[in-house]
Amino acid sequence: MANTVYAVLALLPVLSWYLYARLKDWRFKKYSHIPESFPNSLALGHLKYIAEGFKQFGDSRRHPDYVFDLLWKKAGCPQLFLLDLRPVNYVTVFVASHDIAEQISKVTKLHPTGVTKSPTIQWSYGRLVGKRSLLSEEGESWKSLRKRFNPGFAPQHLLTLLPKILQKASIFMNKLDALTDSGIEFDMDPLCTNLTFDIIGDIVTNVDFRAQDDVSGGNDIVHSFRSLIETYTDTGRIWLWLNVPVRLRRIYYSVKVDAAIKRCIKEKFNEIKAAQSTETKQTKDRSVLALALKDTDVLTNDISQTTADQVKTFLFAGHDTTSILLQRLFYALSIHPKCLETIRAEHNAMFGDKDPRDVLLAKPDETIKALTYTSACIKEALRLWPPAGTARLAPPGTGFKVRLDNGEEVCLDGTVLYSCQYLIQRDPKVYGETADDFAPERWIGDTDTSSTSKDEDSAEIGASKIPISAWRPFERGPRHCIGQELANLEARVILACVMRRYDFIKVGAGEVELDEKGNPTVDEKGRYKTKSELFNSMVVTSKPFDKTRMRIKWHKAGK
Ligand code: HEM
């Protein structure tokens, strides 16, 4: 016995040395070919830099993008930089250059639909979007799903959805009218989120979700989906992933969401079967659900689950992002008086004394196309406050390389590739001195966003003289957002309906500074000075941390 103990004791130093050498390899060698921006620690990699960044801001509610921005500047603004986030996350390469982001998203022989999506999508949001979500599927499975749903998002089809969008927008306006009369403070976030949920719910299922209905609070899908999303309120804070009660609640509500959606799928399936004999091209249902069930003869459990995953994906991806865009636009326009004046002048010229809803219904195509300054504002808001993003991962050993400006080729397989839109879209090398300013004018003559879906050369320059690939809130390449034109359409319609009607006044975070006479103070760029910053938090997406608390007044010319 004693001999065995002595033998083990004798081996301990060798074992420790071996483990130490392996750990050193794991931490320092594996990715040593990627240019290093920060010294790495054996135990915690680069995690301390993230912690220090949050500490510097003094507020852990900040979206991590703000910290990455600090680190990027500290590293001398490289095209990309690596942070070793093991053991809590993957080794991640942060991409700050549109040129590199383009090399990741574009079609290549090695990656025919762009570099494959990162497993962190399923890891983080699997319960929200389902295991076989269009967002995370790859290869043939992704291709056939995408092909199936593309007709539901074709521009001409989207215009036929205008009456639905306007009907939901009218409910939203009735709510704003009441809030204007009462003068009370309120959170803009739930109002915008319910509006966009109502719109996407109807488009996806052809069913009225009643998400804006105060009495019912929406149908059972809305109720369980809301509860599910609430379990994601702390996605920015890594240590809270260990919160077991929240994780259990997440499982419970994801099962409830699935059950509610599957009931809806069954009803829809029966409806489609019953209507098949009388259907014409005009009456044909092009909702996501109808497209998903196209050619289905028997609704098996498998088909029902895959379909439920796509419905969840569209519901999630299609409401939160657009709601954030609207909140950011209302706020940005409220503190940029010149932009507000210009957008109102555009709406005055287009609608005169008429109700914008009537004009939009009478001449949808022409009116939507003519809202050019409105589109420029949308484009600029998406540049400065991109709500979503993309993370990819080329499997280890596949030899995926990117070429840097200095001609050097760097192999990035095995690392998560985070194309950080926040950095890319504020790059001073592209956007100059006004990179951080809300300046919609930069997009005049270049408001078409459909080019983001085409796989052009990254070097191509838009009419604004800005490289096309430097604006990528919907990402680019084959995996670009399928709903981007819908989001643009919704935002244009809603801005057209509300901007002449109300004055939006931020309260709390980001509130305007007033002088002794109670008038806003203006800075050298013509923007109202604010008492503080309305920063974004990470709640699945990147959204204003205070739910965009506001008051609204009737705009004198608008009522
Ligand atoms: C302002 C609004 C929106 C923004 C900023 C946005 C942004 C994005 C981004 C960045 C991606 C790529 C994600 C990735 O690579 O992992 C994406 C994909 C996607 N988006 Fe959106 N989105 C918006 C609105 C919508 C809407 C309205 C819908 C609903 C139809 C939608 C549905 C989707 C889907 C299904 C995908 C996955 C596409 C695929 O992989 O084939 N999005 N979106």
Side-chain angles (χ1 to χ4, degrees):
M1 179 68 185
N3 283 349
T4 318
V5 173
Y6 287 135
V8 170
L9 284 177
L11 278 175
L12 260 183
V14 180
L15 190 68
S16 311
W17 176 85
Y18 173 77
L19 287 175
Y20 175 71
R22 293 304 305 263
L23 186 62
K24 260 177 73 183
D25 271 9
W26 177 75
R27 180 67 83 192
F28 300 125
K29 263 213 180 136
K30 200 161 174 202
Y31 301 103
S32 57
H33 57 281
I34 302 175
E36 179 119 299
S37 299
F38 302 97
N40 208 346
S41 114
L42 183 64
L44 290 173
H46 292 119
L47 284 171
K48 85 164 185 175
Y49 298 98
I50 307 268
E52 278 171 9
F54 278 113
K55 208 164 153 198
Q56 193 165 329
F57 282 117
D59 198 328
S60 66
R61 291 171 303 175
R62 285 227 171 216
H63 192 285
D65 278 354
Y66 295 101
V67 174
F68 304 146
D69 184 40
L70 273 184
L71 294 176
W72 176 63
K73 286 176 181 146
K74 207 168 160 180
C77 306
Q79 284 185 284
L80 53 85
F81 61 100
L82 175 142
L83 291 181
D84 184 348
L85 307 177
R86 293 172 296 175
V88 295
N89 209 323
Y90 285 78
V91 171
T92 302
V93 168
F94 293 80
V95 176
S97 135
H98 65 92
D99 182 43
I100 307 284
E102 194 70 0
Q103 295 178 47
I104 294 168
S105 62
K106 74 175 186 185
V107 173
T108 58
K109 244 192 188 152
L110 186 61
H111 295 112
T113 57
V115 172
T116 43
K117 294 280 183 100
S118 158
T120 46
I121 298 177
Q122 273 298 325
W123 185 44
S124 310
Y125 310 121
R127 292 247 159 227
L128 201 51
V129 296
K131 278 202 179 76
R132 280 141 82 178
S133 163
L134 175 64
L135 256 174
S136 53
E137 282 295 275
E138 291 292 344
E140 285 309 313
S141 165
W142 169 76
K143 250 191 208 158
S144 84
L145 284 171
R146 181 81 188 212
K147 201 168 152 204
R148 187 175 278 264
F149 296 125
N150 273 338
F153 297 93
Q156 279 316 311
H157 171 64
L158 289 179
L159 278 182
T160 67
L161 303 174
L162 205 56
K164 273 187 183 176
I165 297 175
L166 284 168
Q167 186 231 334
K168 309 292 185 194
S170 297
I171 305 174
F172 176 68
M173 288 161 72
N174 290 342
K175 285 177 182 292
L176 293 188
D177 285 358
L179 286 162
T180 312
D181 288 333
S182 73
I184 58 168
E185 288 178 13
F186 63 96
D187 292 337
M188 191 51 103
D189 177 79
L191 288 181
C192 291
T193 304
N194 288 338
L195 162 67
T196 52
F197 209 119
D198 238 0
I199 295 175
I200 194 68
D202 208 326
I203 290 172
V204 169
T205 62
N206 220 352
V207 170
D208 185 358
F209 269 39
R210 290 175 280 113
Q212 298 186 88
D213 179 9
D214 291 331
V215 181
S216 67
N219 67 9
D220 50 351
I221 300 180
V222 177
H223 277 282
S224 31
F225 212 93
R226 261 195 213 121
S227 306
L228 178 60
I229 288 194
E230 272 165 24
T231 69
Y232 283 87
T233 43
D234 281 310
T235 44
R237 283 173 265 175
I238 288 165
W239 59 92
L240 291 169
W241 292 347
L242 305 171
N243 188 332
V244 175
V246 169
R247 298 199 73 97
L248 290 176
R249 272 205 349 255
R250 189 170 296 168
I251 295 172
Y252 173 73
Y253 285 116
S254 72
V255 171
K256 278 193 86 166
V257 167
D258 266 16
I261 291 180
K262 281 179 186 168
R263 278 195 295 277
C264 177
I265 291 173
K266 198 156 184 215
E267 277 166 32
K268 190 77 184 181
F269 178 75
N270 294 337
E271 239 175 64
I272 292 173
K273 288 286 134 202
Q276 248 163 15
S277 52
T278 53
E279 198 174 63
T280 66
K281 207 173 173 198
Q282 279 70 34
T283 61
K284 204 168 179 150
D285 189 343
R286 279 221 258 176
S287 66
V288 167
L289 196 42
L291 292 168
L293 295 172
K294 201 173 84 167
D295 312 325
T296 301
D297 293 324
V298 183
L299 188 61
T300 60
N301 282 343
D302 191 49
I303 294 178
S304 182
Q305 185 60 59
T306 314
T307 310
D309 287 357
Q310 310 323 318
V311 171
K312 281 189 287 187
T313 299
F314 279 102
L315 289 181
F316 162 64
H319 85 286
D320 204 32
T321 43
T322 317
S323 161
I324 295 165
L325 169 63
L326 291 173
Q327 292 170 55
R328 275 294 173 189
L329 278 162
F330 296 151
Y331 176 54
L333 288 165
S334 79
I335 58 169
H336 291 86
K338 284 215 178 82
C339 303
L340 184 60
E341 205 181 297
T342 314
I343 197 169
R344 280 177 173 159
E346 175 168 282
H347 297 172
N348 281 339
M350 199 156 300
F351 306 120
D353 292 338
K354 297 194 183 116
D355 187 322
R357 287 168 284 189
D358 296 336
V359 179
L360 281 160
L361 280 175
K363 296 180 187 168
D365 200 11
E366 201 179 317
T367 314
I368 289 292
K369 279 194 186 127
L371 287 166
T372 51
Y373 190 77
T374 308
S375 298
C377 290
I378 295 168
K379 202 164 173 181
E380 185 68 346
L382 286 168
R383 179 182 77 81
L384 287 170
W385 304 285
T390 192
R392 310 291 178 101
L393 191 150
T398 48
F400 172 69
K401 286 186 183 145
V402 295
R403 183 185 287 271
L404 305 181
D405 276 351
N406 61 8
E408 191 188 334
E409 286 203 334
V410 189
C411 180
L412 296 180
D413 60 24
T415 66
V416 166
L417 303 168
Y418 174 45
S419 293
C420 184
Q421 295 168 358
Y422 183 86
L423 296 182
I424 295 168
Q425 298 180 163
R426 286 172 182 249
D427 186 350
K429 287 200 278 303
V430 173
Y431 291 99
E433 283 177 3
T434 59
D436 290 325
D437 299 343
F438 181 76
E441 290 69 25
R442 76 174 90 239
W443 299 114
I444 298 295
D446 192 9
T447 51
D448 178 23
T449 60
S450 54
S451 54
T452 56
S453 45
K454 295 177 198 139
D455 204 39
E456 282 117 344
D457 182 350
S458 66
E460 191 163 327
I461 304 289
S464 56
K465 305 272 180 281
I466 294 168
I468 284 178
S469 62
W471 186 84
R472 47 193 316 123
F474 297 106
E475 262 312 313
R476 289 175 42 83
R479 300 300 296 257
H480 76 274
C481 174
I482 196 171
Q484 73 180 63
E485 289 311 318
L486 171 63
N488 272 329
L489 177 66
E490 284 180 53
R492 273 177 286 186
V493 166
I494 288 152
L495 288 183
C497 290
V498 308
M499 287 324 295
R500 292 190 309 165
R501 197 173 173 96
Y502 314 105
D503 285 329
F504 293 87
I505 304 147
K506 185 78 187 67
V507 289
E511 185 173 320
V512 168
E513 219 176 80
L514 301 177
D515 63 16
E516 59 285 353
K517 288 186 188 140
N519 295 319
T521 48
V522 182
D523 70 13
E524 63 291 347
K525 289 180 175 166
R527 172 189 191 267
Y528 289 157
K529 286 187 191 164
T530 56
K531 293 180 188 167
S532 56
E533 184 197 352
L534 176 61
F535 60 80
N536 274 6
S537 258
M538 181 161 161
V539 185
V540 188
T541 44
S542 177
K543 60 176 64 162
F545 81 98
D546 75 336
K547 297 188 186 292
T548 318
R549 195 139 185 87
M550 286 207 159
R551 245 176 340 104
I552 47 174
K553 288 204 282 195
W554 292 110
H555 177 56
K556 49 187 180 314
K559 198 177 176 185

